[in-house]
Amino acid sequence: MIRGKKRIDPVALNEGYDSSSDSYIIPVGFSKDYTAALAKENLFRRYGTVVKAPTRDGYIQTVVSTADAKITTANMAFPEDSDTFNKISFSSYKLAVLSKLNSTFIADMNFPVEAYLNNEFARRFGRAEEDIFINGTGINEPTGLLQTAEIGKTAATTEISFDDIVALYLSVKPEYRKNSVWIMNDETAIVLRSVKDADGNYIWRHSDDTIFGKPVINTPYMPNIGTVAKPIAFGDLSYYWIIERRPLSVKVLRERYAVEGLVGFAAHERLDGKLIRPEAVKTLAIA
């Protein structure tokens, strides 16, 4: 259908068709390639938790586990847990993009149109998601990480010190710290590369780009160092949940751009995102 073939099995086209948006959900095989490409563009797809919930909105139950396994004798009762269940409301926000291709390229069987659209949509949606999942206000869009994460340390000045980084690191509980990552932009990374401890050793290990053994993830969507800013986040991103209401869906627009010799591909997805446990990720704030 993308290539404009005249002989198309109408039964096959019924599968995955969404009449409400006149679009098609991408096939399973294509979806796997797209998901892999999306993860390369979006740190939350790599480190966060993706929950597939094909409804428009509603509550999703989360569990806060504090129980431990214990040795018991043959006649002892099983130790009871102290898990708590929280219901968190998630919505459904539409993220959309339009891509256009020359019709002669599409007609040419040697042009890998499927691979092109796969990478193009992954690039556009991946970057847009990453920005929203960091800076989203929660008003008509997902709630970003910086809106919910707790402040672990407030630096007195814009001169970030070794003590500030240590305080942020230790503000995250050990149970979250073992799978934690640092998140910052390139400008902040340059500053931290020059920070030294009391013995004159750099805290940034250049051989594997880690600080205190934890990976540093660079993203252009974190704010710069400045007053009333949160330029660094540290914590376990698995507690940031991406609620995938509807996966990537595509509508082919042939007639609209026909006079230009182009074919349009209108793609959209419906999702939401939220940090379900604010204490799992801490930020460094500048006073």
Side-chain angles (χ1 to χ4, degrees):
M1 182 181 179
I2 287 177
R3 291 188 180 278
K5 293 182 178 180
K6 295 181 179 180
R7 300 182 65 180
I8 304 174
D9 183 2
V11 177
L13 285 180
N14 287 333
E15 186 175 352
Y17 177 68
D18 177 26
S19 58
S20 63
S21 60
D22 190 25
S23 60
Y24 288 91
I25 298 175
I26 58 176
V28 174
F30 186 90
S31 177
K32 291 180 179 179
D33 294 337
Y34 173 73
T35 301
L38 188 63
K40 293 180 181 179
E41 298 285 347
N42 185 344
L43 69 91
F44 290 91
R45 292 282 183 169
R46 299 193 301 272
Y47 295 98
T49 299
V50 179
V51 179
K52 298 183 184 297
T55 56
R56 288 195 172 274
D57 50 30
Y59 289 93
I60 291 180
Q61 189 163 271
T62 64
V63 182
V64 177
S65 178
T66 57
D68 295 314
K70 299 177 181 178
I71 296 293
T72 60
T73 61
N75 297 324
M76 284 182 63
F78 282 85
E80 295 187 15
D81 63 46
S82 55
D83 292 346
T84 58
F85 297 85
N86 296 323
K87 289 184 177 180
I88 298 178
S89 176
F90 287 91
S91 299
S92 176
Y93 300 105
K94 182 178 180 180
L95 191 60
V97 71
L98 176 64
S99 179
K100 291 182 284 187
L101 274 177
N102 191 298
S103 57
T104 57
F105 282 156
I106 299 173
D108 184 359
M109 294 302 294
N110 293 320
F111 179 72
V113 61
E114 295 90 348
Y116 172 83
L117 291 176
N118 177 73
N119 294 327
E120 187 67 12
F121 289 146
R123 180 183 63 82
R124 297 188 187 189
F125 280 107
R127 295 177 183 181
E129 285 182 9
E130 187 168 292
D131 186 8
I132 293 171
F133 292 155
I134 290 176
N135 299 299
T137 62
I139 301 174
N140 298 324
E141 63 182 2
T143 304
L145 184 75
L146 298 182
Q147 288 286 329
T148 311
E150 296 179 354
I151 296 177
K153 169 64 178 177
T154 300
T157 68
T158 56
E159 299 294 329
I160 298 176
S161 66
F162 170 73
D163 291 339
D164 292 331
I165 301 303
V166 171
L168 176 60
Y169 177 81
L170 294 177
S171 70
V172 176
K173 294 180 179 179
E175 61 188 279
Y176 306 124
R177 200 188 306 152
K178 61 182 180 180
N179 294 319
S180 290
V181 296
W182 301 90
I183 308 172
M184 65 192 73
N185 66 20
D186 287 344
E187 292 189 15
T188 304
I190 292 174
V191 172
L192 262 62
R193 282 177 178 270
S194 63
V195 175
K196 300 178 181 180
D197 61 18
D199 297 323
N201 300 311
Y202 289 103
I203 64 171
W204 187 299
R205 190 163 66 182
H206 299 276
S207 60
D208 56 3
D209 288 330
T210 60
I211 297 176
F212 304 148
K214 303 303 178 183
V216 178
I217 309 300
N218 287 28
T219 170
Y221 307 111
M222 284 291 287
N224 292 328
I225 298 174
T227 56
V228 200
K230 299 175 182 177
I232 304 173
F234 176 71
D236 188 345
L237 287 186
S238 67
Y239 292 99
Y240 191 93
W241 284 18
I242 301 171
I243 307 301
E244 194 174 80
R245 298 295 190 184
R246 174 173 290 276
L248 181 68
S249 300
V250 182
K251 179 179 180 180
V252 182
L253 305 175
R254 298 191 181 281
E255 298 178 0
R256 183 171 181 177
Y257 304 104
V259 294
E260 302 175 47
L262 303 173
V263 177
F265 299 92
H268 75 277
E269 58 183 12
R270 286 191 173 274
L271 45 68
D272 195 5
K274 193 171 294 184
L275 183 63
I276 65 166
R277 205 174 298 185
E279 65 177 2
V281 179
K282 298 293 184 73
T283 61
L284 176 73
I286 308 296

